[in-house]
Every structure is written in C-alpha cells, then in structure tokens.
Amino acid sequence: MTVKVLFALTSHGTLGDTGRATGFYVPEVAHPARVFAEAGCEIGFVSVQGGAPPRDGVKPDDTVVAEFLADPATRRALGETPTADRVDAEAVDILYYAGGHGAMWDFPHDTALAALGARVYERGGVVAAVCHGPAGLVELKLSDGTHLVEGKQVSSFTDDEEAAVGLTDVVPFPLETTLTRRGAKFSKAPDFTEHAVADGRLVTGQNPASAVKVARLALAALRP
C-alpha cells in the first residue's frame, strides 16, 4: 500500500510586530518531500486556515526548493490546502508538522489540527515535526488526556537558537521550555546542527538542517 504523507503548514504570515513576513519554511517541506517521493509516498498538505499558506525561507540557490515549487501538482496543492477538519485521519500514515516561525502563532491554537495528530498517532501512524513545527505538539493530547510528548524524547528549535536569531522576545512563547513543561524529555545538539530523534512513532527534529533526517526516521518508524 502507498504511504500517505501529509505536511501541516502554518497560515500565519507576520513575524510579531517586527514588520517582517514569515510563513512555512519551504526547505523544511521540499527536502523531506523529496525523500518521501523517492520512497514512493503520496504527498499532501493541510494548513491552519486553508488555501495558499504564506512561505518563507526560499533561497535562489536551493535547487530542491526550486524544483518543488515548479512542479505543477505541488503548485496546485499548495494553492488549495484544506483545513484539518476536512482531512480524513484514516488516510494519513505520516503527519509532518513543518516549521517556519509562523507555526508559533497558529499551530498551538488549531484544535482540529491537534485532533488530527492525535487520531493519526492513535491509529498507528507517525507524527513528525521539525524546527518550529513542534509548536503543533504543545497542545496535542491523546484520548486519555495526556500530552503526546509526555515522557518522550522530543526535539525542536531550541531556546538558545531562538536567542541566536534574535527572536526570543518576538515569538509568543519559548518552544523548548514549553515542550519540557508538557513532560517532554528534550533532546538537542549544538546550535543549527542536524539533530533528530524518534521515540516510537513520534519523530522530531531541531532545525532546518534536520528536516531530511526527520523524514527518514518517520519512514523507519512506520516500517519497523
């Protein structure tokens, strides 16, 4: 059977009151999407508000991103993403929460997206997230009322990395600290280096450099 991968994308396009734009970090989707495509997976997208989500992180020298955005099917899919309440969790094998600073504002408050993640996980699928994508795990509770991250090895963009990019006082909360408060056993490497961890069917990565490793670990978690 074909593995179905769904990328969850932020719909938030403003970086606090800085006047700067944000959105989903395109390399954190394009690079793992190539891994999934090469493994024969079917790829789809969901976003907080639906429609065309805002983008960030596109660099002219990133050929993987260029090819991803140039693909007609990808362009169509990104232009008409559904909201989480329109997605059948039974059809999702891997739910991958992509990063981008925008996720810090809207992922934690999307109850439908959290419910989708819980259902995917509880039916035996993989929940994955990278960089700021784990903001989608902050309020994700299972049917027994516990947080998915409780007692599990989890990584994300660290508080030190947030300080290094000068956005500690811009983001609405410290992601590493908040995940730890939810009971996660936080795992991290030196700033901006590749680091990803799999704890059963929960796979998380620290930063953009970790996105591909998250995809590979997610596939391995689905196919032990």
Side-chain angles (χ1 to χ4, degrees):
M1 294 179 62
T2 301
V3 171
K4 297 183 179 179
V5 180
L6 189 69
F7 283 95
L9 310 176
T10 178
S11 295
H12 188 88
T14 56
L15 191 58
D17 59 3
T18 64
R20 293 160 53 188
T22 187
F24 80 91
Y25 201 75
V26 180
E28 292 177 6
V29 178
H31 288 263
R34 172 171 282 192
V35 173
F36 291 130
E38 290 175 348
C41 302
E42 178 182 320
I43 297 169
F45 308 97
V46 63
S47 67
V48 174
Q49 294 181 12
R55 305 173 185 176
D56 194 12
V58 177
K59 297 177 176 61
D61 60 344
D62 191 330
T63 58
V64 173
V65 166
E67 292 172 7
F68 173 79
L69 294 177
D71 179 72
T74 299
R75 289 206 308 269
R76 285 194 300 272
L78 287 175
E80 52 187 22
T81 63
T83 52
D85 57 357
R86 295 175 53 204
V87 173
D88 178 11
E90 305 299 317
V92 180
D93 298 302
I94 298 173
L95 179 61
Y96 191 124
Y97 290 83
H101 272 92
M104 295 289 286
W105 278 267
D106 61 3
F107 272 10
H109 307 294
D110 189 341
T111 56
L113 185 58
L116 176 63
R119 180 58 186 148
V120 168
Y121 186 81
E122 292 188 321
R123 63 175 287 273
V126 172
V127 171
V130 71
C131 199
H132 290 92
L137 308 179
V138 167
E139 300 300 340
L140 200 168
K141 293 183 179 180
L142 302 176
S143 56
D144 63 2
T146 62
H147 285 92
L148 172 59
V149 301
E150 185 176 335
K152 295 185 178 68
Q153 292 284 325
V154 173
S155 191
S156 76
F157 203 65
T158 68
D159 293 353
D160 286 343
E161 286 171 324
E162 205 70 82
V165 298
L167 294 173
T168 298
D169 296 327
V170 174
V171 293
F173 61 93
L175 185 52
E176 174 188 345
T177 295
T178 303
L179 289 167
T180 301
R181 288 172 179 165
R182 295 292 188 267
K185 298 176 181 177
F186 200 83
S187 177
K188 59 185 175 180
D191 290 359
F192 309 112
T193 60
E194 181 191 74
H195 181 67
V197 291
D199 195 325
R201 290 177 290 104
L202 176 62
V203 181
T204 49
Q206 183 171 324
N207 45 42
S210 311
V212 164
K213 187 172 183 179
V214 169
R216 291 174 177 156
L217 288 175
L219 287 170
L222 192 64
R223 304 164 174 167

